[in-house]
Amino acid sequence: MEDESRKPVKETMELERQLAASAMPVYGNLATDALGVNGDSLKRIFEPAGQQSTAKEGTGNHGLTRRLSHASVWSLFIYAAGAGLTFVTQIVIARLAGAESFGTYTYVFAWITLLSYGSTLGFHVAVLRFVPAYETTNQYPMALGFIHFGSKASITVAILIAAVGALVVLGWPHHLEPELAISVLIGLATLPLITIYLTGAGVVRAFGGVISALLPERIIRDGLMLALLGLAAFFTPWRLDATAVMWMLLVGSAVAAFTTVLSIRGLWPAGLSAAPPTYAFQDWWPSLLPIMIMTFVDVLMNRTAVMLLGKIGFIKGAGIFAVGSNVALLLTLPRVAVSTAFAPAISRLFARADLTGLQALFARATILSFSGGVALALPLLVLTEPVLHAFGGEFTSGALIARILIVGQLFAAAVGPQQQLLTMTGHERAAAMLMSVAAIINVPGCIVGIALHGAVGAAIVTSATMIFLGVCQAIYIRYRLGIHPGLIWAIRHVCEAVMAGRLR
């Protein structure tokens, strides 16, 4: 008889797998509804030739699809709730700590985030590519070997970086202000914990756990920080500084890491328990290296201005820029959600050499990405000052910074999930090269921008770099994959359909 204690774990794992599998129908429907036209007609336009006749196959599973669709909406809800929770947490930190201490916190957090993602060595993304493939072909020893190798290597690198960083700070204590020095040390202690829940979330997603992968970083960490901030505000008489906030980040990250480990244990496939690990480094490194570069560069581009402003001693400016950046980064929410849902479908279509279907899928993803970006950008552009005032009166001077960055993020939404398209079609090296070139250009550009116009100049350069990268990726995708930019392709095909009388 089956052990009753294992039934909840198995039920959770099955639900998580169904949730991951159900994301595609939901996004497909949302993408068509976003145009405000008849959904069935538009689906027929976007369906590859020869597939229209089978569009209604499988309607017998409509009830299951509906249930799974409702479940997948919860994953979107977690993304949105997590972004909102992070935003509120930043507001509370800014109001309780003030612009100067908030600047110190954002400067340290920018460095710790960059080092944490670098410590993952790309494992948190590559695990989504290797482990499901190994599970499908029953190569459990290979899957276990990759998980062991990636997790141990990532955590070891994180601990080494933290140790070296601590030695540097302690060796030259007079080069940093006391608040900054202590904050850096606490941040370095947090670095391995962040690495654990980042890599662990990748493993959970590889096992089919969508919600379990999102909760620790998106909800638990910042939710606990917000609770601790509230307790500190009500029960302590002194003003919070960056050091106190970093301690709260350490506690929240520890709980997030512990929760992630529990999720891995709960979703662990039975086939991996008895399998001896097998290693194939020669197969893994060619993919790990470019993914690691892309991950590191992506974080670097988002944090360059804050790190440079803090480096030159303009801590308050770094805090103001960070607030403007946080407002603009809300526009990435639809794009991240789209990328998460569409990545497996991109891989499957490319494996079948179905470029027509891939073009239609990319168009749908771009429409949804851009629609969500516009829906967020319009109110943010209009209400920038009131939103920034919520952080405190000192931050309203960053309104222009926020608007410039919003424009850059809106362009990124308009070109769709191009980075994911390149990665899932085996062009990760080209994607890493393009991102590296953009990041290299961004650093001296931000230095010049800061010298000429301060934080506003850094915002201009950051947005211009995002636009440059998007254009370069679109050109590469067009000539190497034969895929047209999603919005242009969608508009052209809708117009052709209207002219042909297919869309009323």
Side-chain angles (χ1 to χ4, degrees):
M1 183 175 181
E2 183 180 20
D3 186 359
E4 294 291 333
S5 65
R6 291 187 59 84
K7 286 186 178 180
V9 172
K10 291 187 175 181
E11 291 173 359
T12 300
M13 183 170 67
E14 182 62 25
L15 175 60
E16 292 276 23
R17 292 184 183 277
Q18 292 176 347
L19 173 59
S22 68
M24 185 62 198
V26 175
Y27 288 110
N29 293 335
L30 288 173
T32 56
D33 292 343
L35 289 180
V37 296
N38 183 272
D40 293 335
S41 301
L42 188 58
K43 284 180 182 178
R44 287 195 294 272
I45 295 172
F46 281 175
E47 283 170 0
Q51 293 186 13
Q52 286 98 343
S53 60
T54 61
K56 294 185 179 181
E57 290 182 3
T59 55
N61 295 325
H62 178 70
L64 177 60
T65 300
R66 179 181 293 274
R67 290 195 300 272
L68 297 182
S69 297
H70 282 303
S72 68
V73 170
W74 281 101
S75 65
L76 274 178
F77 173 77
I78 292 174
Y79 270 115
L85 185 60
T86 300
F87 195 70
V88 172
T89 303
Q90 297 294 309
I91 291 176
V92 174
I93 295 173
R95 295 193 71 89
L96 293 179
E100 194 73 26
S101 288
F102 182 77
T104 301
Y105 162 74
T106 55
Y107 175 63
V108 174
F109 186 66
W111 275 104
I112 298 305
T113 301
L114 180 65
L115 294 174
S116 298
Y117 274 92
S119 299
T120 64
L121 304 176
F123 169 74
H124 68 303
V125 176
V127 71
L128 301 174
R129 183 171 176 178
F130 287 105
V131 171
Y134 289 144
E135 277 195 278
T136 301
T137 56
N138 294 322
Q139 298 184 69
Y140 291 108
M142 293 288 287
L144 185 61
F146 186 75
I147 292 172
H148 281 184
F149 161 70
S151 57
K152 290 179 180 179
S154 300
I155 295 172
T156 300
V157 170
I159 293 173
L160 288 175
I161 292 176
V164 172
L167 290 175
V168 171
V169 173
L170 294 174
W172 290 276
H174 302 296
H175 286 74
L176 299 175
E177 294 292 332
E179 182 182 4
L180 179 58
I182 297 174
S183 297
V184 170
L185 289 174
I186 300 171
L188 290 170
T190 308
L191 194 155
L193 297 173
I194 298 177
T195 303
I196 289 173
Y197 68 67
L198 287 176
T199 55
V203 175
V204 171
R205 284 182 61 193
F207 291 161
V210 179
I211 293 177
S212 312
L214 298 176
L215 280 175
E217 181 182 12
R218 300 278 174 176
I219 303 295
I220 293 176
R221 187 196 68 186
D222 287 348
L224 184 56
M225 283 188 66
L226 189 60
L228 293 174
L229 286 167
L231 291 174
F234 281 104
F235 295 106
T236 57
W238 58 84
R239 185 182 182 89
L240 292 180
D241 60 5
T243 302
V245 177
M246 290 304 301
W247 278 115
M248 295 176 189
L249 176 64
L250 175 64
V251 173
S253 298
V255 175
F258 179 72
T259 305
T260 302
V261 172
L262 291 181
S263 297
I264 294 174
R265 290 174 60 88
L267 293 171
W268 192 266
L272 291 181
S273 300
T278 302
Y279 303 94
F281 303 107
Q282 69 278 7
D283 296 331
W284 299 336
W285 276 117
S287 293
L288 277 174
L289 185 58
I291 291 173
M292 178 179 64
I293 293 173
M294 281 191 291
T295 302
F296 185 84
V297 170
D298 188 36
V299 177
L300 176 62
M301 288 182 63
N302 290 327
R303 310 284 179 175
T304 295
V306 173
M307 292 188 292
L308 288 175
L309 287 166
K311 182 65 177 177
I312 63 176
F314 194 19
I315 295 293
K316 184 175 180 180
I320 293 173
F321 186 96
V323 168
S325 178
N326 288 337
V327 171
L329 285 175
L330 292 175
L331 270 68
T332 65
L333 179 61
R335 194 164 74 251
V336 171
V338 168
S339 299
T340 301
F342 279 84
I346 290 173
S347 181
R348 287 193 294 269
L349 287 171
F350 184 74
R352 295 200 301 263
D354 185 1
L355 293 183
T356 304
L358 187 59
Q359 174 70 81
L361 178 67
F362 183 61
R364 289 185 183 183
T366 305
I367 291 170
L368 183 54
S369 173
F370 184 60
S371 300
V374 170
L376 290 172
L378 292 179
L380 287 176
L381 288 171
V382 174
L383 303 173
T384 306
E385 283 86 357
V387 170
L388 293 179
H389 192 269
F391 288 86
E394 297 173 288
F395 294 94
T396 55
S397 60
L400 181 57
I401 295 171
R403 289 192 174 105
I404 293 171
L405 294 173
I406 287 172
V407 171
Q409 291 292 348
L410 188 58
F411 178 85
V415 297
Q418 294 186 143
Q419 180 179 328
Q420 199 78 323
L421 177 63
L422 289 170
T423 303
M424 293 297 109
T425 55
H427 291 77
E428 60 268 13
R429 292 185 180 181
M433 180 65 69
L434 291 173
M435 291 186 67
S436 298
V437 171
I440 291 171
I441 295 174
N442 190 48
V443 173
C446 282
I447 293 174
V448 174
I450 292 171
L452 294 177
H453 302 290
V456 173
I460 294 172
V461 173
T462 301
S463 287
T465 304
M466 282 191 286
I467 294 172
F468 169 76
L469 176 60
V471 171
C472 290
Q473 287 177 333
I475 293 173
Y476 181 90
I477 290 170
R478 174 67 185 90
Y479 285 99
R480 292 303 299 268
L481 291 174
I483 303 296
H484 296 269
L487 283 181
I488 296 175
W489 188 90
I491 292 171
R492 187 183 70 191
H493 277 67
V494 169
C495 292
E496 290 176 356
V498 171
M499 295 294 292
R502 289 171 56 200
L503 186 66
R504 295 185 296 275

